[in-house]
Amino acid sequence: MDDEIEVDPRPLSSRRSFTLRNSAARQVAVNFMPSRQIPYNTLRLRRNNTENNALLTDVAEAADEADNADVQANIIVREMEQHHQLMEDTPDAEELRREALRELPQGLTMKRNVRAKLSASVSLRSKRKPISLWKRFKYRMSFGWKRTKDRMRDLVFSIELWYEAIRNIEGHFGSAVGSYFYLVRWLFTMNLLLSGMVILFVVVPQVLHDKPDKTVNFGFWDFISGQGWLEDSLLFYAHYHDGAVVTAGLSYYMPFAYFFTMVCLYLTCFAVLCYRTAYSYRRNFIETGGGVTLIFANKVFCGWDFGIVSHKAAEFTSTSIYNEFKELLSEQNRNKVSMPVCVRICQYMTNIVATGLVLALVVAVNWGLWHMLEAETAWAGWELAVSALLTLVVTLCPLVFYGVVKLEYYTRRTAVYVTLARTWLLDMGALMLLLVYWSRSNTDCWETRFGQEAYRLVLLDAVVSLLVLPAIEFIRALIYKLNPDSSAPEFNIAYNSLTLIYNQGVLWFGLLFSPLLVVAVTIKFFILFYVKRECALRACQPARKVWRAAQTQTVLYVLVTLSLFATLFGLGSLFFRSSSKVCGPFRGYETVYSVLSEGALRLSEHPAAATILAFFGRPGPLAFILLFLCVSVYYMRARALAHSSMVVILRHMLVLQAKDKDFLLNAIAKVSNGEWSYSPKAAEGPDSHTWKYIRDVRKPSNSGFHFDASRLSHSFGDRPRSRVKEYRPYSHLTERSKSNDGDTDSSFSWQGSSSRLAQTEDDKRWP
Amino acid sequence: MLKVACVIIIFYAFLYHSEALPSDLCRIRPKDKHCLIEYMARNRWSHQIRVFKRFREVNPDLIPKRMTENQAHTIAVPVEEIEKLPELKENPFKRRICQVFSHDGSGNLTFEDFLDMMSVFSEAAPRDIKAWYAFRIYDLDDDMYIGREDLLEATRLLTKGELHAQEREEIVASVLDEADVDGDGRLSFMDFEHVVVRAPDFLSTFHIRV
């Protein structure tokens, strides 16, 4: 058997040179190893039909297809029966069984068979113990809760707004562009829910309170700038009543309603966003990567987007995969010259300088904005001009940042993240600045002015993103059609996502001061979806480079969450300071926070509680809490790093175990032929390990012992090479003695005998 | 656009799914057109109805409007017609996908096979199931190992035959170098799973929306 090994200079093909017989024998031996009998704690069955059949050839030889399937079902059922927690007659066990069946990688027919057999087996075994009342109640509660959760999930899935539209887009452009539209849909749904709540709890009572005798003197100028007639409308903070709304005998206290609705909405959104971000981060960053990145393997196995439907997109994808392969091959073939230290320092310095420049630009923009606001002239359109300028800056700055990042030395993906972060910083800085300016200005009713500002920003951004940008896209598409040499317009996912984040940020800041703003933004997102869809389908080409969407999604969620966090921080600090005395629902209160402390909790009547709360508000405890958070973050990070180094160590161990397995299987195969011998090397003395071993363990009476002086170290040349060969991908990780014959212990070697008798026995034993 | 109205309505029609589903093996609901097994991916009735509509579009003459349980696993649509589906038409692995999911390995799919296929490719399928079926799809010669020839053929299909043989050999050598942990020159399921479960994009690329 060993004599059939070809000594081949190309190591990969030498592994294929075993005979089929040998590999089948090996396979059977491997299948009986403990690592292949995966325990059903994990409830997985990895074998498939072929492997099972290999084990049962003599049983199922003459059987037709139905019997074969039946036999396999029996095997599966038998293996599942070995787990007692699966076979009980309780609803919990039933859930476990259902989960196990769901994870079974078999076809539906097989699953149905297994299900039937399992049920029969369980009902046979059930001892029919009477369940106590408490247990029955517990089961029903947990079962009911699980059912409710499933039903809710099914409800959410069955709505599937815009399902066909997104599927169409994914078919044409791939899943990356699809993920942008998913983000639009998700934000739209969240804003829709927000607007529903706001309307229900805040706007409707106010409408009931209003006297319907206002004349409608509504001009175009008012609509754009939010002043004039709109100023004292439902749109803004000033209009809301600061007392109780009484209708039909029911009393509804507006300040409480306004305060608690807003606070609850903000906090709920924050919680949902945090959860969503954490889930996305876990799925895309933690469960993946974490160790060696396998570039080629990922490219081959995850390169093709299975959702592609259009022929053009398929062509583009295969071209881009081709280009990426060529790029990777050329990178690999190029000698990896490690860059000299000074070049690397130069690159770092360039990056730092560029970051400094960008930060300076952000600061300059904010400074300019502040001065513009301060230099408020009497011109009626001044505020509109400020808003227009801010919108212009926000639209153009990402392009500037794109240009800057091209000059820096980042990888492509890091460049995208850096640009996103910088633009976000610019947007948030501007919005914070506006908030600070208006709250510090001593105008009456500054909240309405800020609300108007937010309203104007949303409106102007709608003009830009719904009219101007699509027009530019269509013009570019026209140019491309007339002149195919120019660059094709592609759907710029990063830029469009930035628009979404900016809009959402403006909404967070403005929600408190302009309740109906959320309705405006909801409508805007609705229209945006259709506009962007038409833009993509008609004007854009599929992307030339593949865009890794999953991790960018996480970054976008993080940015939205951070916007909300910044908002909460800003508004929270405002709450503690003062409230407007002239307008709004909090007129009667000293600070907005006193709505909670005086109005709801009546803390002035409970001085003890007041002192406790005041204590927590002081810097000392806050600093302590902050310190505690920092320490726990550091601890988590240290643990994560430890885990990842553990992963590296375990991977090394895996490789070594595989080599051991290889070696042992070889040995098993040879030993079963009765062909092994010990031949100590000539240079060894009688006290060497080998001789001692032969004397004490392998006594000469043993039939396998065979000392052949001729097969000593000088006959290396015709000694068959074992499979543990030099070409090992991870060989640089382990120290190996470079002995030619591949022995791990230099004192004995495996010898193959070419006796015909041994071979025919081998034939008989392994069919 | 109709769906927007449904969004509002369904929130007030919460009791739509209120009937409890018994743990029978097979439950025939009057509004469904076929027998649905209760354990299927979180009871996604809407998904299954969509799958049936898709399946029927392939060959409306062959597949009746109301399918009985028996017909669900006997009537098989030939592989050439399945490959004309828009979801599979541009896929370089379409033949192999049909073979993997068909009950007899020939590529002709019954409705149950098709439902299997769409469930595995849907969003709800767990990562391990996807990895398993991805392994079987990439294993073009069906020997439970992704060997060198499988990888060569896969790279050829991915780039539509553009790469030279030499380049393909290099790519395959790199893949085996990276992914082959036990060093036998081919990828077993363990090796493959190790690669794919940790890829950030596996879930989003191995996904067909029906």
Side-chain angles (χ1 to χ4, degrees), chain B residues 81-182:
Chain B
E81 298 187 21
I82 294 274
E83 283 181 358
K84 295 211 185 74
L85 267 179
E87 286 92 359
L88 289 180
K89 200 167 48 138
E90 298 298 333
N91 199 320
F93 299 103
K94 54 189 176 211
R95 180 55 65 109
R96 181 66 193 148
I97 292 174
C98 293
Q99 282 170 355
V100 165
F101 284 99
S102 67
H103 52 285
D104 54 3
S106 67
N108 304 325
L109 299 180
T110 64
F111 175 67
E112 279 191 359
D113 301 332
F114 191 72
L115 189 60
D116 252 346
M117 179 163 86
M118 286 307 163
S119 314
V120 167
F121 280 117
S122 77
E123 250 167 29
R127 210 189 273 258
D128 303 304
I129 296 256
K130 284 197 193 234
W132 170 252
Y133 278 102
F135 177 72
R136 298 227 18 235
I137 288 173
Y138 285 117
D139 179 20
L140 299 167
D141 51 11
D142 211 8
D143 60 351
M144 298 316 294
Y145 285 100
I146 298 182
R148 229 185 91 242
E149 285 78 18
D150 296 331
L151 285 170
L152 282 172
E153 186 63 20
T155 44
R156 192 187 68 82
L157 286 172
L158 278 176
T159 55
K160 298 213 169 84
E162 294 270 335
L163 287 169
H164 304 306
Q166 175 67 20
E167 290 165 337
R168 273 190 275 144
E169 291 285 349
E170 285 179 32
I171 293 174
V172 167
S174 307
V175 170
L176 286 174
D177 191 18
E178 286 176 354
D180 191 11
V181 170
D182 52 15

Side-chain angles (χ1 to χ4, degrees), chain B residues 22-62:
Chain B
S23 58
D24 288 351
L25 183 61
C26 172
R27 172 167 169 75
I28 304 196
R29 287 159 64 98
K31 68 185 280 289
D32 296 338
K33 303 173 172 63
H34 47 75
C35 166
L36 297 171
I37 298 187
E38 185 229 319
Y39 77 90
M40 277 296 288
R42 296 180 192 136
N43 309 327
R44 293 184 54 194
W45 308 111
S46 54
H47 175 253
Q48 285 152 353
I49 293 167
R50 260 199 299 261
V51 169
F52 183 73
K53 283 205 184 101
R54 218 80 186 101
F55 189 62
R56 198 149 181 273
E57 272 169 25
V58 174
N59 191 338
D61 308 316
L62 188 59

Side-chain angles (χ1 to χ4, degrees), chain A residues 3 41 101 121 129 167 181 195 350 389 445 456 514 516 538 571 626 669 673 690 721 726:
Chain A
D3 296 337
N41 295 334
L101 277 176
S121 165
K129 276 191 301 234
R167 189 166 74 95
F181 284 96
S195 49
T350 321
L389 205 63
C445 225
R456 279 195 295 267
S514 168
L516 283 183
R538 286 180 212 284
L571 290 179
L626 209 64
N673 276 346
T690 317
R721 302 176 91 92
E726 288 87 311

Side-chain angles (χ1 to χ4, degrees), chain A residues 153-214:
Chain A
R153 209 179 298 147
D154 195 23
L155 199 70
V156 167
F157 275 128
S158 68
I159 295 176
E160 292 280 22
L161 188 64
W162 295 321
Y163 185 80
E164 286 291 331
I166 299 184
R167 189 166 74 95
N168 199 14
I169 291 169
E170 268 191 2
H172 279 94
F173 291 97
S175 59
V177 176
S179 71
Y180 165 79
F181 284 96
Y182 269 123
L183 189 63
V184 175
R185 188 175 80 164
W186 195 75
L187 288 175
F188 169 75
T189 318
M190 186 171 70
N191 289 337
L192 191 68
L193 288 173
L194 273 181
S195 49
M197 290 285 130
V198 162
I199 289 178
L200 196 61
F201 287 107
V202 172
V203 177
V204 165
Q206 185 64 33
V207 166
L208 289 176
H209 176 76
D210 275 347
K211 296 172 187 35
D213 58 359
K214 300 192 67 172

